[in-house]
Amino acid sequence: MKNLWRVLPFSFILLFLAGCGKQNLTALDPRGPVAEMQHNLIGLSLLIMVFVIVVVAAIFIYVLVRFREKPGDNHIPEQVEGNKNLEIIWTAIPIVLLIILAIPNVMDTFTLADTEVTDDTVVVNVTAHQYWWEFEYPDLEITTGQDLYIPTDTRIVFNLEASDVIHSFWIPALAGKQDTVPGITNDMWIEAPEEGVYLGKCAELCGEGHWLMDFKVIAVDPDTFDEWAQGMAEPDSELIEPTGEVAAEGREVFEQNCLACHAVGGEGGNPQGGPDLTNFGERENIAGFMDHNDENLEAWIRDPEAEKPGSGVGMPGFDNLEDDEMDSLIDYLNSLKVLDDE
Ligand SMILES: [Cu+2]
């Protein structure tokens, strides 16, 4: 029983660290040049700080021990007024340390701030909404939401804005945070060397649903990206006029209730509406955070507010839909795909 008290604090630390490591929602495992640069800068300043702390602590302990009053020794120590050499040393050392810190910082700051667009750059205009992310690719004439597709080994430049309040765009494994502010466009760039899914989050308390304002960066090889972009820009007519009976019924329900806010294949939607759903069938999550399955989708459509607090302001609940309408609607939504199934 006694041992429990020894183990307990460590269990808490472990639990805390386990939370930090959630997939790749961590800045401590940087991927790509931007995150690596930022990680190295933090590492360097940490190293310098640790060095200073160790040296100062060592001198402090030495002085404590060396100049203690010893028993029977009651003479007055020699009185000194400053020491030029010491003053020079302890002024020079911090200056040198600051120079070591400043050179890579200034250099990297210029590299990080350079968001010049070349022929190979993919530009994405990001708009943050309470509580979801919209991604527009102006050169490709594509708009999507929640899942941000990017080609690997390619410079991606973001123009960041917000439609309502201040949010913050954060993909911990790929780059540091950048605020999205209504009326101001901030920019930044990233590059992902490896294929994979990088988790993103809103990092600025923006309202009730803030904690569920998640998104994904899906890095795919450039060929797959082209296929995806092609599929998004000129989607299969199946998405708009499904031939299957159930999906066709679902499409009708969709047109009557949802198309005003949600575009599919370049049709419908409105600037105050919700995410483009052209490739919704391929999203792993609903509304950025819920597992994508039929029960969750039905729960979301019937009452979004219950799933993500605050989302009801943007999307009303559709609890009035009959069960068979709901089933065909879900079938239709799940059929919305632009990539060939592997
Ligand atoms: Cu937010």
Side-chain angles (χ1 to χ4, degrees):
M1 219 40 220
K2 237 183 181 173
N3 278 336
L4 184 69
W5 295 108
R6 295 207 191 132
V7 179
L8 216 58
F10 292 105
S11 330
F12 278 119
I13 292 173
L14 273 183
L15 208 70
F16 172 72
L17 289 176
C20 290
K22 186 190 166 193
Q23 289 184 46
N24 54 23
L25 201 62
T26 169
L28 300 179
D29 180 17
R31 305 293 169 91
V34 171
E36 271 161 21
M37 248 184 275
Q38 295 168 335
H39 188 258
N40 291 344
L41 289 179
I42 291 175
L44 177 68
S45 42
L46 207 70
L47 219 79
I48 293 177
M49 276 192 295
V50 169
F51 171 74
V52 170
I53 288 174
V54 168
V55 171
V56 170
I59 296 174
F60 177 70
I61 292 168
Y62 171 79
V63 170
L64 267 190
V65 176
R66 173 77 178 71
F67 300 105
R68 277 169 82 195
E69 183 184 10
K70 302 196 176 68
D73 166 16
N74 54 4
H75 84 283
I76 303 288
E78 182 194 340
Q79 301 298 299
V80 288
E81 272 178 39
N83 180 320
K84 212 183 230 162
N85 289 339
L86 276 180
E87 302 243 359
I88 290 175
I89 291 174
W90 70 51
T91 309
I93 292 178
I95 290 178
V96 171
L97 291 180
L98 284 180
I99 290 174
I100 295 175
L101 195 59
I103 291 175
N105 256 292
V106 171
M107 277 166 52
D108 286 353
T109 299
F110 277 97
T111 316
L112 290 170
D114 175 15
T115 48
E116 202 192 330
V117 174
T118 64
D119 284 350
D120 312 317
T121 314
V122 172
V123 178
V124 184
N125 297 334
V126 176
T127 309
H129 302 270
Q130 282 169 319
Y131 300 95
W132 62 282
W133 297 90
E134 182 173 353
F135 307 114
E136 184 203 359
Y137 301 65
D139 304 327
L140 304 170
E141 295 180 21
I142 297 172
T143 301
T144 185
Q146 319 287 21
D147 285 359
L148 168 66
Y149 281 77
I150 57 167
T152 49
D153 278 327
T154 308
R155 215 175 130 80
I156 317 291
V157 168
F158 296 118
N159 298 311
L160 303 160
E161 282 188 30
S163 69
D164 32 48
V165 299
I166 299 178
H167 304 262
S168 178
F169 183 71
W170 192 28
I171 317 156
L174 294 177
K177 302 164 188 173
Q178 179 72 268
D179 273 3
T180 67
V181 184
I184 294 176
T185 306
N186 287 334
D187 57 8
M188 65 183 266
W189 67 276
I190 60 162
E191 217 177 282
E194 292 159 46
E195 283 182 54
V197 177
Y198 303 88
L199 300 182
K201 260 211 168 288
C202 175
E204 178 78 57
L205 181 60
C206 57
E208 263 186 294
H210 158 72
W211 59 300
L212 297 173
M213 195 168 157
D214 297 355
F215 65 102
K216 286 195 178 72
V217 179
I218 301 180
V220 292
D221 66 87
D223 288 341
T224 311
F225 179 77
D226 288 344
E227 189 199 327
W228 175 81
Q230 181 77 23
M232 288 296 291
E234 287 163 28
D236 202 325
S237 59
E238 265 293 300
L239 302 190
I240 294 164
E241 283 174 54
T243 46
E245 204 184 311
V246 185
E249 272 173 43
R251 169 72 193 186
E252 234 167 77
V253 179
F254 186 80
E255 280 177 16
Q256 282 159 17
N257 299 287
C258 328
L259 194 68
C261 285
H262 293 287
V264 170
E267 263 188 25
N270 80 68
Q272 278 78 47
D276 184 291
L277 297 179
T278 306
N279 62 341
F280 176 73
E282 279 157 356
R283 291 190 194 148
E284 250 178 64
N285 294 110
I286 302 165
F289 75 102
M290 270 196 285
D291 283 344
H292 189 155
N293 58 45
D294 293 355
E295 292 94 86
N296 282 346
L297 190 49
E298 172 163 1
W300 172 264
I301 296 168
R302 290 207 182 279
D303 190 0
E305 176 73 35
E307 306 299 326
K308 189 193 256 184
S311 63
V313 179
M315 171 162 161
F318 290 86
D319 211 14
N320 56 330
L321 294 177
E322 305 289 341
D323 283 344
D324 57 330
E325 287 177 311
M326 183 58 82
D327 289 346
S328 51
L329 177 62
I330 288 176
D331 193 65
Y332 171 66
L333 291 172
N334 287 335
S335 76
L336 300 174
K337 295 183 179 178
V338 302
L339 283 169
D340 284 338
D341 287 331
E342 292 98 61

